[in-house]
Amino acid sequence: MTQTESVATGPEADPPGTAATRTDAPCTDAPGTAATRTDSPGTTAPRRQTLILTAVLLAVFVVPTSISGTGVALPHIGADIGASLVPLQWVVNAFNVAFACLTLAWGSIADIIGRIRAFTIGAALYAVASLVSVFAANVYVLDAARALAGIGGAALFACGAALLSTVFEGPARGRAFALFGTVAGLGVSFGPSLSGLLVETAGWRWVFALHAVVLGLVLLAVPAMSKGVRETRDQDARIDVAGTALFVVAMLLLTTGIAQGSQWGWASPGVLGLFAGTVVALGAFAAVEKRHTHPMLDLGAVADRRFLALCLVPVAGSFAFVTMLTYLPSYLTAAGGHSSGAAGLIMVLLTFPMLVLPLIAAKLVAKGVRAMTIIFVSLVCLVVGVAGLSLFSPDVDLALVALPMLITGAGYALAAGLVDGEALSLIPPERAGMAAGFLNTLRLGSEAVAVAVYGSLLATLLTGRTSDGIAAFPGAGDAATVAGTAAGGNIDGPAEAVSAAQREGFVDFLVDAYDSAFHTVIWVLAATCLVLLATVALLLRRGGGKSPTAPAS
């Protein structure tokens, strides 16, 4: 039986005579059987839409700001609470691991318990965790609080995107996701600067205090938000506990392996065992999902070539843009001899496109430009831009590298948000949470992988180049130790170990080695982006026609 009814309810509903209608999917209205509601997006009143968008954007800004900005505070945290290196690193790693493990799980849970409820739980967890971080007396409490914040952040990111997909449609959806991408990119881009300012002026605890304040404001908006969301929720579904547990185990093994690879060695039994365990857990996860009535991940959606192709677009951004955002400042200070402040100003060339291009892309789509055309342009920009960064040298004229930096930033900015809206439009509304969770799992998981691969490859190449000539500098120490320190952007430290007469020559030697390793890594990144561009094009060409999972028009 098909049922049609008005969706305009509550004080902010559309006026009489203008209410949109909703056609529910066929369902059995037998006693004890709950129907699946399929509400049309875009029926929320404009004021409610603005409130929901504002709350989601505030939450979305906090998450990437925390990801990119917390590292700035680590030296101050260590000095204040007496933390050693390994537990101090887990202030960052605990958040990233928890986030990567649970983004997909939260998306699926939101489809069952409701996106507003899941979003609220995530905001509450994050706010509480931030308050605990503010008052943490030792690093282990801080590590636990950061893991809890990662769990909340996963809910905010997955459910925030699903909420926008539910509330907006058409050009308004494009603009909403453009803002989503812009704010997320700004959080990643300016997180280190904002955190550094707070650390220098107020102390490291205020980094987490700011997160608590912002999430508190979001929680205050929840009651009004809930009146403006017509959710789709399968009340008969049950949380996929087995699938969720297996996926969390797989992601925990993978991200722990990546996080510990630089410490244990990438070919060590421990790291290889973690990666092997990841493969086993993912295999078991796929087997469970195929048999589950209400799986956490609909493998049919992942099998949709168009959806999978769009989910791969942010992966290219991770390898081209996020790696440069993380490591180019080290190159500028170590090889280029710039101060930290000057390096930060130069990085504006990379991040500036995030301020304007996501909204420009949305306006172009609203005027009739195909979204996929813009997405392909973004991928081409990533390949060309990151290859152009090979023009960098220790004494390069910044005017020469300004263009490739802007092109790389443009490649990331053009697809930011736009790809989310396009991908979620292929998925039925009742599975939007799962789809958003999968997309953001690939996005953030690939960032962790890309950053780890860059760091590992740079350290490996730099060790090889340092080993070739370090014998000429007595007292310099072990090549691997020197290379590891230099890879982190500190060349002056190792230079203190050699005699004053050889110091200048040793610095020149390390700069040349760093520059050579950097350029090799750049070409590896460019090749990776080119492969991803070709893969996306191939998937979209073979995935023509209407998606079997797409909602009926």
Side-chain angles (χ1 to χ4, degrees):
M1 178 179 70
T2 17
Q3 183 184 41
T4 304
E5 61 178 311
S6 169
V7 298
T9 60
E12 296 296 330
D14 297 320
T18 61
T21 57
R22 180 188 77 234
T23 303
D24 289 342
C27 62
T28 303
D29 289 329
T33 304
T36 302
R37 294 178 59 190
T38 309
D39 295 322
S40 298
T43 57
T44 305
R47 280 185 292 173
R48 300 288 187 193
Q49 287 181 327
T50 301
L51 176 65
I52 292 167
L53 178 61
T54 302
V56 169
L57 294 182
L58 280 174
V60 164
F61 181 76
V62 168
V63 176
T65 299
S66 181
I67 292 173
S68 67
T70 305
V72 175
L74 291 184
H76 302 269
I77 294 172
D80 185 29
I81 60 180
S84 59
L85 177 62
V86 173
L88 189 62
Q89 287 179 329
W90 277 94
V91 173
V92 175
N93 291 343
F95 183 95
N96 293 342
V97 169
F99 193 108
C101 285
L102 291 164
T103 300
L104 179 57
W106 269 115
S108 178
I109 291 169
D111 288 333
I112 297 173
I113 70 173
R115 284 146 208 170
I116 283 288
R117 183 179 298 177
F119 183 83
T120 304
I121 293 172
L125 288 175
Y126 206 124
V128 169
S130 298
L131 285 175
V132 173
S133 300
V134 170
F135 297 104
N138 63 72
V139 71
Y140 300 104
V141 172
L142 184 57
D143 287 344
R146 295 296 294 154
L148 183 63
I151 296 172
L156 292 174
F157 233 77
C159 303
L163 277 173
L164 297 187
S165 179
T166 301
V167 171
F168 294 93
E169 67 177 359
R173 175 187 281 184
R175 289 190 295 270
F177 274 107
L179 285 170
F180 184 95
T182 298
V183 171
L186 291 176
V188 170
S189 302
F190 296 106
S193 300
L194 179 59
S195 296
L197 179 63
L198 286 171
V199 168
E200 291 180 1
T201 58
W204 67 267
R205 296 181 188 274
W206 278 94
V207 173
F208 304 112
L210 179 62
H211 298 164
V213 170
V214 173
L215 269 301
L217 294 175
V218 171
L219 288 170
L220 289 176
V222 165
M225 290 171 61
S226 63
K227 296 177 182 178
V229 178
R230 281 70 164 172
E231 296 213 69
T232 56
R233 192 165 68 221
D234 190 346
Q235 298 178 17
D236 287 338
R238 295 293 179 267
I239 295 174
D240 178 10
V241 176
T244 300
L246 284 169
F247 187 80
V248 168
V249 168
M251 291 304 299
L252 183 61
L253 292 172
L254 175 62
T255 51
T256 303
I258 293 171
Q260 296 298 123
S262 60
Q263 298 178 25
W264 297 350
W266 291 95
S268 67
V271 170
L272 293 178
L274 288 169
F275 290 155
T278 301
V279 174
V280 173
L282 285 176
F285 168 74
V288 167
E289 297 304 275
K290 288 179 180 179
R291 295 195 300 268
H292 202 284
T293 307
H294 302 285
M296 177 180 73
L297 175 61
D298 182 355
L299 296 179
V302 179
D304 178 356
R305 290 178 182 271
R306 291 190 299 163
F307 177 71
L308 182 58
L310 288 166
C311 289
L312 289 177
V313 173
V315 177
S318 295
F319 278 90
F321 178 82
V322 176
T323 53
M324 290 297 100
L325 191 66
T326 304
Y327 284 106
L328 186 55
S330 296
Y331 176 87
L332 292 171
T333 55
H338 297 280
S339 67
S340 297
L345 289 175
I346 294 169
M347 292 299 293
V348 172
L349 292 168
L350 190 69
T351 58
F352 174 75
M354 285 301 305
L355 296 174
V356 294
L357 288 186
L359 290 176
I360 290 176
K363 290 180 179 179
L364 290 174
V365 171
K367 291 182 178 180
V369 178
R370 292 183 66 247
M372 286 311 309
T373 299
I374 297 175
I375 289 173
F376 270 113
V377 169
S378 76
L379 289 170
V380 171
C381 285
L382 290 174
V383 174
V384 173
V386 76
L389 295 179
S390 62
L391 294 173
F392 263 106
S393 66
D395 55 354
V396 68
D397 185 343
L398 290 178
L400 182 64
V401 293
L403 183 59
M405 289 183 73
L406 288 169
I407 291 174
T408 303
Y412 189 81
L414 284 170
L418 185 61
V419 71
D420 297 66
E422 287 297 302
L424 294 183
S425 70
L426 299 173
I427 304 298
E430 65 271 15
R431 302 300 286 155
M434 175 278 299
F438 180 75
L439 174 61
N440 284 303
T441 296
L442 276 188
R443 172 183 278 124
L444 293 150
S446 66
E447 288 180 6
V449 171
V451 169
V453 167
Y454 183 109
S456 176
L457 185 57
L458 180 70
T460 301
L461 293 169
L462 190 51
T463 299
R465 286 161 172 74
T466 303
S467 299
D468 292 338
I470 199 171
F473 302 93
D478 175 68
T481 302
V482 171
T485 304
N490 182 5
I491 286 181
D492 292 335
E496 294 294 328
V498 302
S499 65
Q502 290 189 307
R503 194 162 298 158
E504 184 176 352
F506 187 58
V507 168
D508 290 341
F509 165 70
L510 287 182
V511 167
D512 288 343
Y514 191 111
D515 184 58
S516 175
F518 172 81
H519 281 80
T520 301
V521 175
I522 284 292
W523 287 112
V524 171
L525 296 179
T528 301
C529 291
L530 183 61
V531 170
L532 286 167
L533 169 61
T535 302
V536 170
L538 183 63
L539 287 172
L540 289 174
R541 188 173 68 177
R542 291 185 176 181
K546 189 171 182 61
S547 167
T549 60
S553 57

